[in-house]
Amino acid sequence: MADLLSRPGNRRARLRALLDAGAPVLAPGAYDALSARLVEQAGFDVVYMTGFGTTAGLLGRPDVGLLGGAEMAAHAGRLADAVDLPLIADADTGYGNPLNVIRTVRDYERAGVAALHLEDQVMPKRCGHLAGKQVVPAAEMAAKVRAAVDARTDPDLLVIARTDAAAVDGLDAAIDRARRFADAGADLLFVEAPTSERDIETVATALAGHRLVFNWAEGGRTPPLSRDRLAELGFALVLFPVGTLLAATAGMRELLERLRAEGTPASLIDRLGGLDAFAELAGIGEVRELEQRYRAEGD
């Protein structure tokens, strides 16, 4: 677990090594620093900053392009500081044209992310599993991918190119776009929201030889596949963007319903471990050690 004086080393190189290991890398979504620490505590190798969850957590609103690049980069920095894991972050459309993308990549790189993904939607964007999406011309997105690749100062920072064109122009168009984004220098390809297992297989076959991303969007338009099946199809990275958010929402609803009905949520809080359990997760032991260290030095 990360601590206040953590020096996690080269997380970008670690992510590249994980992706080269052959098995799909599982990246649960985190919507804030605490949920990122929970992902780390659960033993995962990677954490994903979900745009859907970030918008819900910061604004209490759906993912329809309401957050700007500076807000998202700052949030990525908080998550990166909270864990030792490589952080993969949603960077939406890059927040403008190729020049804006350059700034976005530099901001995310300074924030400490190991990888970021850019999508080819128009601004304002929408969650990839919501209706009403529109995409920019393929050439415009390819230019943004090239700008992202050129902008990184650390060659280990991974650029993931996402296309939402399947819902707009069909799967063949999305696959063609993904190839163009690979030619522009993208490290991983992300065809969003195929709607059947056959479509998933088509994507995997057509883009064989590239590192591929599968978005296991809980409750979304894409059917869920097992990790073994995704490994057979050659997917390198599997994102789970909203499961943690949905679980947290369900738990809070249960607590509030008990409080309203019974006048106390004590039984649920006792089962969850109370404040001591939270303090332990948040690193209270380390805080005490540091307090003692600096108090002793002051004496």
Side-chain angles (χ1 to χ4, degrees):
M1 292 286 287
D3 57 39
L4 291 172
L5 294 178
S6 179
R7 295 177 177 83
N10 194 334
R11 291 179 284 189
R12 294 169 187 152
R14 201 189 321 161
L15 177 58
R16 284 183 176 268
L18 288 167
L19 292 170
D20 288 339
V25 176
L26 307 184
Y31 51 89
D32 62 8
L34 179 60
S35 57
R37 289 179 69 87
L38 285 165
V39 171
E40 185 172 42
Q41 186 184 61
F44 288 91
D45 295 316
V46 173
V47 62
Y48 171 58
M49 188 188 89
T50 157
F52 187 102
T54 296
T55 305
L58 293 181
L59 301 182
R61 299 296 181 184
D63 184 12
V64 290
L66 297 175
L67 289 173
E71 292 169 302
M72 291 286 283
H75 197 61
R78 287 188 286 271
L79 270 64
D81 282 345
V83 296
D84 285 340
L85 300 180
L87 174 67
I88 300 166
D90 186 346
D92 294 323
T93 64
Y95 311 103
N97 64 23
L99 296 181
N100 300 109
V101 167
I102 290 171
R103 183 190 176 196
T104 295
V105 170
R106 293 286 173 87
D107 285 350
Y108 272 62
E109 189 173 23
R110 282 192 294 269
V113 307
L116 58 90
H117 68 73
L118 301 167
E119 64 200 50
D120 59 357
Q121 287 194 49
V122 301
M123 293 177 65
K125 56 76 53 83
R126 301 177 73 84
C127 168
H129 291 258
L130 295 178
K133 296 182 293 182
Q134 300 178 58
V135 293
V136 300
E140 181 179 333
M141 179 61 183
K144 291 165 76 167
V145 172
R146 284 195 296 274
V149 171
D150 291 342
R152 60 188 176 189
T153 62
D154 183 348
D156 280 330
L157 176 69
L158 290 167
V159 174
I160 303 169
R162 168 178 145 180
T163 177
D164 287 73
V168 180
D169 299 318
L171 194 63
D172 289 343
I175 291 169
D176 179 66
R177 281 176 175 246
R179 291 193 181 108
R180 294 184 67 168
F181 303 160
D183 291 341
D187 299 292
L188 289 93
L189 305 178
F190 180 175
V191 176
E192 176 66 304
T195 56
S196 69
E197 184 168 351
R198 182 174 181 178
D199 285 351
I200 297 167
E201 293 172 356
T202 299
V203 169
T205 300
L207 299 176
H210 298 285
R211 289 195 186 110
L212 302 180
V213 178
F214 182 83
N215 196 18
W216 211 103
E218 302 89 328
R221 298 177 181 271
T222 302
L225 299 184
S226 70
R227 176 168 54 182
D228 289 344
R229 180 63 177 138
L230 291 171
E232 288 175 4
L233 292 171
F235 284 92
L237 174 65
V238 184
L239 306 177
F240 296 86
V242 295
T244 52
L245 175 67
L246 296 175
T249 301
M252 186 176 294
R253 281 177 172 163
E254 181 183 355
L255 183 147
L256 293 172
E257 287 170 1
R258 290 191 183 199
L259 178 59
R260 186 177 61 182
E262 304 170 13
T264 173
S267 59
L268 179 60
I269 296 298
D270 288 344
R271 178 161 60 85
L272 295 175
L275 289 178
D276 286 342
F278 169 78
E280 191 62 37
L281 166 65
I284 189 65
E286 182 219 351
V287 169
R288 289 169 178 158
E289 290 177 5
L290 289 175
E291 286 176 340
Q292 291 175 358
R293 177 197 303 182
Y294 293 122
R295 186 179 300 117
E297 291 179 355
D299 295 339

